[in-house]
Amino acid sequence: AGFGYEATAVLPPFNMLIFDEAHALESSATSFLSWELARFSVLKQLGKLYRERRGRKFGIVTKLQNIRNLPPGVLKNFPDASDAVRAAMEAADLAGLELTGDRMNWRLTPAAKPAAGTALACVGALERSLLALSELLKDAIDAVPDESQEEQPVQEAAMALKRLTDAASVCAKWRDWEDDPENVYWIDRAKTAQGDAFSRFYVTPLDIGPIMDQAVFEPFRSVICLSATLSVGGSFSFWKDRVGLSRSDQASLCEEFPSPFPYHRNALLGAAADAPFPDDASWQGWINDAVGRLVEASGGHALILFTSYASLRAAWDAVKPRLDALGISAFRQGDDERSRLMDRFKDDISSVLFATDSFWEGVDAPGDTLQLVVITKLPFRVPTDPVQAARSEAVERRGGNSFMDLSLPEAVIRFKQGFGRLIRHSDDRGAVVVLDARILKKRYGSLFIDSLPGTKTSFKPLDG
């Protein structure tokens, strides 16, 4: 592994469970345990169940009606019930879009409750329509003769019924949100491939620790968690707290193992001492110029990491003509599917990839393809993210400091993941350059540097 493995083990060693890339355990579990309700998914499910085209009827319901010995008329009310769900979903979607407005998301809190009246009423109506449709489908499945229960249309109907009831469960959670302080209720504003806006209603756990303890750490007598990025400044406390180990009755052992890679010989950590702070009005223009100069100096072979799509687009627009003039191919996240984009980047070894979000990890481009990683900004989460905001408030309620106890260690781990893109094999070599003044000029900046393996360093002005 890039930095050498870091491991946490819960002993004794019997009945063992092993997590590799365990740094993603908390985020993966949070995503898995979240509930989502979106117009697109509901309407897609309705289309699978029943649709008409040019006077012909299609879908699971039609297949059910063709099963021999199914009582006649069992599904005669289904089209009207399906239309009711569609109308209720459209109304809930519009109400969600009104709440998000020009923002990317909106969070339901006691203070925001007065503004949520219409949306909650629409979600309640959607729940009732989903349950009515589910009841019709369940009656149809129950009416299928025993000898036909294993037929494919019946199995498909059973799966569709579960999806309908799951969607109704999300609505029920939203209806009773005030009785559920353990979850975060929020709406995300998204767009279809055609550019049409739609809203997604989420229910996300505030803390996965108790669930992890119940589902993983208690049932298994031995759990081993492995990753190159579990510690922050040599401490495992933050990660253990995130997954619930610090509050578990289970004993845990933590160990760092040295990397086999010669970072001290093959890697350089650079930071621009003359970089403006990210909140400076000149920052984006300075970034555009700095990225262009660095990539020109390296002759390509570069991954440029951003923390926002807006900054990525601005830098791309400014730097792309310069790269074209130099004959250096440039690729941008979002212009192609991720795996194809990575293949193109690796096939053209002198190319440059502009990326954000998921490309901070999982990028494996060894050899000459990647000799320069530019980190334009330290990867702090956006404070307006609903789940991040709720977790920050929970830290403050417990008497902690949300920046030092949550935002900073999260950013350090993400920073380590970005740094780890550079050296993938023992003979790889290159530089990671940070263009964020905070790494040198803020007291906490040393935590980012100290969390990396030992490398050569150069902290000088870009113009020096």
Side-chain angles (χ1 to χ4, degrees), residues 181-392:
E182 301 305 316
N183 283 303
V184 184
Y185 290 78
W186 57 288
I187 299 173
D188 174 57
R189 186 183 186 93
K191 287 187 177 181
T192 65
Q194 293 73 35
D196 299 323
F198 67 97
S199 56
R200 291 182 291 207
F201 291 75
Y202 282 101
V203 182
T204 302
L206 185 64
D207 179 8
I208 69 159
I211 302 170
M212 288 293 297
D213 198 32
Q214 180 182 10
V216 177
F217 300 130
E218 286 184 3
F220 289 89
R221 296 183 65 186
S222 180
V223 180
I224 298 177
C225 300
L226 303 169
S227 180
T229 52
L230 295 184
S231 66
V232 176
S235 171
F236 289 78
S237 297
F238 173 72
W239 184 82
K240 287 174 63 178
D241 186 61
R242 290 295 289 267
V243 299
L245 270 178
S246 61
R247 290 160 285 171
S248 173
D249 293 333
Q250 305 292 331
S252 61
L253 302 175
C254 301
E255 189 67 48
E256 290 183 281
F257 302 93
S259 171
F261 296 164
Y263 280 97
H264 62 288
R265 292 199 311 267
N266 290 7
L268 171 70
L269 173 66
D274 55 345
F277 285 99
D279 58 358
D280 191 295
S282 66
W283 181 79
Q284 185 64 59
W286 188 90
I287 287 293
N288 298 345
D289 178 65
V291 168
R293 293 167 61 184
L294 288 167
V295 172
E296 184 174 352
S298 69
H301 310 276
L303 172 65
I304 318 298
L305 292 173
F306 299 83
T307 60
S308 76
Y309 287 99
S311 182
L312 184 156
R313 287 192 294 267
W316 169 270
D317 291 340
V319 178
K320 180 66 162 58
R322 188 171 181 172
L323 298 181
D324 289 343
L326 294 170
I328 297 175
S329 300
F331 305 114
R332 177 175 56 173
Q333 181 179 350
D335 287 347
D336 202 349
E337 190 269 331
R338 179 190 165 100
S339 61
R340 287 196 297 268
L341 194 64
M342 279 303 305
D343 288 341
R344 294 169 66 190
F345 176 55
K346 288 189 285 188
D347 289 343
D348 188 340
I349 62 172
S350 65
S351 62
V352 180
L353 175 59
F354 290 66
T356 184
D357 194 26
S358 61
F359 282 79
W360 281 76
E361 57 183 305
V363 172
D364 190 9
D368 291 339
T369 297
L370 188 54
Q371 298 177 355
L372 172 66
V373 175
V374 178
I375 295 177
T376 58
K377 192 175 181 181
L378 296 178
F380 288 100
R381 274 199 186 188
V382 179
T384 54
D385 176 86
V387 178
Q388 183 76 356
R391 288 176 172 173
S392 295

Side-chain angles (χ1 to χ4, degrees), residues 37 92-101 103-108 115-116 119-120 123 174 184-190 198-204 384 386:
L37 177 69
D93 181 63
L94 289 175
L97 291 176
E98 288 181 5
L99 286 172
T100 57
R103 298 164 297 182
M104 294 302 297
N105 51 61
W106 178 89
R107 177 178 157 218
L108 179 56
L120 291 174
V123 168
W174 270 79
V184 184
Y185 290 78
W186 57 288
I187 299 173
D188 174 57
R189 186 183 186 93
F198 67 97
S199 56
R200 291 182 291 207
F201 291 75
Y202 282 101
V203 182
T204 302
T384 54

Side-chain angles (χ1 to χ4, degrees), residues 45-46 48-50 59-67 70 74-75 78 130 133-144 148-166:
Q45 193 58 46
L46 292 180
K48 288 182 178 181
L49 283 168
Y50 179 82
I60 296 171
V61 170
T62 302
K63 294 177 183 178
L64 277 179
Q65 288 177 317
N66 293 331
I67 291 179
L70 184 70
V74 168
L75 293 167
F78 196 90
L130 284 166
L133 185 65
S134 299
E135 192 65 28
L136 288 176
L137 191 57
K138 182 179 183 301
D139 289 344
I141 295 172
D142 291 343
V144 173
S148 300
Q149 283 289 336
E150 298 302 319
E151 292 188 21
Q152 183 176 347
V154 182
Q155 301 302 310
E156 291 176 353
M159 292 175 61
L161 177 61
K162 183 181 185 306
R163 294 190 181 100
L164 290 175
T165 54
D166 283 348

